[in-house]
Amino acid sequence: PTPVAPPPTAGPALTNGRPTTGPLRATNLPIPLTSFVGREKEIGRVTDLLSGSRLVTLIGPGGAGKTRLATEAGRALLDQMLDGLWLVELAPVTDGAEVPQSILQLLGLREQGMLAGARTRVPLPEPADPIGRLVGAIGSRRVVLLLDNCEHVLDATASLAERLLGACPELRVLATSREPLGITGETLCPVDSLPLPPPSADPVTAMSYPAVRLLADRAGAARPDFAVDTDTVASVIQICRSLDGMPLAIELAAARLRTMTSVQVAARLNDRFRLLTGGSRTALPRHQTLRAVFDWSWEPLDEAEQALWRRLAVFTGGATLDAIERICAPGEPDLPGDVLSRVDVLDHLSALVDKSLVAVSGNGEPRYRMLETIREYGLRRLAEAGETEWVRQAHADDFLALARTADAELRRSDQLRWLGWLTTEHDNLHSALRWAIATGNAPIAVGLVAALGWYWWMRGMRVEGVEMAVPALALPGADRLPRDQVAVAEMMTAMNLLASSGELAEGGRWLARAGRTAEGHEHAHPLLRLIEPMTVIFDSYLGQPALGLLAARFDDPDPWIQAVSRMFHAHAELNMGRPDERPEADMLLALDRFRSMGERWGTAYTLSALADLAGRRGEHERAARFHAEAVALMREVGAAEDLPVMQIRLAHELWQTGERDRAVALLAEADREAERIGSDECRAAVAHECAQILQIAGDLPGAQRRLDQAVALVADHKVAPQWRAMLASSQGAVTAALGDLPAARQHHDQALSMALEFYDAPVISGVLVGYADLALRIGRPEQAATLLGTAHDIRGGPDRSILDGPRIESAAREALARGRADASPTGLPQMIRAALD
């Protein structure tokens, strides 16, 4: 900046040509050329800190906006009675010895000059001591020095600040640096990235976040027609999130919007250092391109710190110190003479933390992470050093070994701790898997799929798991890996596929493929002992062989296999329409075994199954207790896709017990959870349950709207035929209640056709209850009674979980008692007669 001479101490000053009284306060703060966006509240935070501390240092990575925040805070301080407020730009200073001289020159001091207006004149020392001259000039004046960009002359700046503050009682210093000055009395004020909106935010919500407001403001200056609206909001959010909310990077991206769309900019951010080069011509060189910002931080580092930065970049989502030491500094004989020694990693890591290149987080064991843009810069440096292959390999080997250990622990008492570890390292694990797939590394890729398959299942990440498992198992050489490992990967691919997509045929093929691969290796991994019964169950749900195969595993050496086998056995019997007593006994034994192991997932699923059984028998309070415990356990496990489903089941039973408000509130919570995880199927299930409640409450138009919503949500998804059957049956019931009986008949026919596609006794029973309602509406109560009796026979007893069931049964009895029945059964739909035969 151009130095501003101090004003005279006597005589009036002029403002707009008019005389003013009192001295004009001296400052060289530049007039801003752009609006200040995103850190308005932080100005007050900085000024508050300066009121209690005489040295405040704004620390943060390059491009975080430290300089702008400091100058805006300085502007706010001008309202106070100061004798001077000066911005000292240290970026051009290359020699620490020149720091005091640069301030003297800025203040306009001559060889024997004196800062005008000083309250106390201090004799100037010899000219050879520039710091002494500054002490004499400032004296006891109320002065604020803004020392900007101190990091490259840190020692000299620290010495200067310490001496000035010790000799000038009214002086305050506000510094900006990528690392602390490190002197007594310093108060640190971290300058973090701008807050970011969630990925799915709408335009109004997105604009409430500072990062988006900054992009919109700067983009509007470059392109007046730019707006954050429904067409641009997704790409704008992607830009801001990809750039970590870093102000300088966002401004560089906004400049590109003059010639590109936001979608194009977002798509090219994988090459951000080539893309973001359009900074102001008058800005400092290191602020004109994104790469220059980080070159400024890279160049002063020693070789070991540079090596750690580039190797640390392979971690996605951060890392522990142990992992960093193992992977980044393998030591001899792997890398003889490497510049980075394992014993020195902590010291170098601490140095990177001090320089704002690495952040530390975590209440327990610390985790060290980089902003994504800093990490991307490190990866480029890693490639330039020719180290990418071995560092990536070391990273993948390390996380594969840990994933295999975790896989076994997921079925034991320490389940939650290992689930927590897998969740924390989720990004690292998936990064290693994607790298292995991209480079054709079949042993790593298939090994990770096998080790992570059950984790994906438990946490409800089944779609994501399948998307990575299929290409991993297709890699050249995958078929030559150990067969037990490949079989586990294929089996979990089948299970996750069946649970997530409704691709029954494809899931069946994967299950059969796993069975062929596992031949002769059934005992190598506990999950392999479930392939045969699961294959038989899939092929023939009514087949007695499935029950026999599951029963044969009741005495398996692994207690988890014992419990799962009993649970599946009970499910199979109930879906076959067997009486409740035996399945319930198996479920209770499975529950006891899961509880004794401390295994939450199995406990939750078994409790949910017991609750469904109790609800069908009309024991709604007991069912609600079981479901409530299952929901609590699923929260612990973190099963994203399973939690909303269990919340819906709990709401269903709460409605039956009369806790209507609580049921409605829980459905709203399930809807929000489904929206958060982006599951259309879960949202459709919520809409379906709401429709049933609205129907029995008498709001038929509301029920129809919710059913239409459910149908639309799953229209483009492949879901299980049982689920579509229940949806069609509900449509038939509401359509019939609205008076359109022919359309209702079509819905019920469709429901029965889909229910018979994959035999499920409770679902078929529910569809027949819907037919019974239609029979009553066309004046055939005896047919309704026949249908209800058939539904009970198929189910193995009455189903008290159907909300409208009691009304239909009561209406049928009343009609029969009044003698209005048509005794002829010939009106039964052909599909129902075929099903009964």
Side-chain angles (χ1 to χ4, degrees), residues 414-432:
D414 214 11
Q415 177 186 67
L416 286 186
R417 184 171 75 86
W418 284 97
L419 265 177
W421 179 84
L422 287 165
T423 302
T424 300
E425 301 295 357
H426 174 93
D427 290 341
N428 278 312
L429 291 162
H430 283 202
S431 173

Side-chain angles (χ1 to χ4, degrees), residues 386-454:
E387 295 179 345
T388 299
E389 182 63 29
W390 79 256
V391 177
R392 285 286 193 187
Q393 184 71 49
H395 176 270
D397 288 339
D398 195 81
F399 279 96
L400 173 58
L402 290 170
R404 284 173 170 161
T405 301
D407 174 54
E409 298 296 335
L410 291 181
R411 294 176 290 278
R412 297 173 184 167
S413 60
D414 214 11
Q415 177 186 67
L416 286 186
R417 184 171 75 86
W418 284 97
L419 265 177
W421 179 84
L422 287 165
T423 302
T424 300
E425 301 295 357
H426 174 93
D427 290 341
N428 278 312
L429 291 162
H430 283 202
S431 173
L433 177 51
R434 291 190 179 97
W435 169 79
I437 293 171
T439 58
N441 191 324
I444 293 291
V446 176
L448 280 168
V449 169
L452 295 176
W454 189 247

Side-chain angles (χ1 to χ4, degrees), residues 471-548:
L473 287 162
L475 289 175
D479 56 343
R480 296 190 296 274
L481 295 174
R483 290 172 60 191
D484 58 333
Q485 183 183 121
V486 176
V488 171
E490 292 170 340
M491 176 189 178
M492 290 314 305
T493 300
M495 299 299 292
N496 284 314
L497 185 66
L498 289 167
S500 63
S501 68
E503 290 273 10
L504 299 181
E506 184 65 14
R509 284 192 288 271
W510 274 102
L511 200 56
R513 174 176 164 178
R516 292 192 298 271
T517 304
E519 289 178 2
H521 295 267
E522 293 85 356
H523 302 291
H525 191 289
L527 289 177
L528 296 184
R529 300 199 285 278
L530 294 175
I531 289 182
E532 187 180 10
M534 294 303 297
T535 303
V536 173
I537 289 173
F538 181 83
D539 289 340
S540 176
Y541 224 64
L542 289 175
Q544 189 67 34
L547 297 179

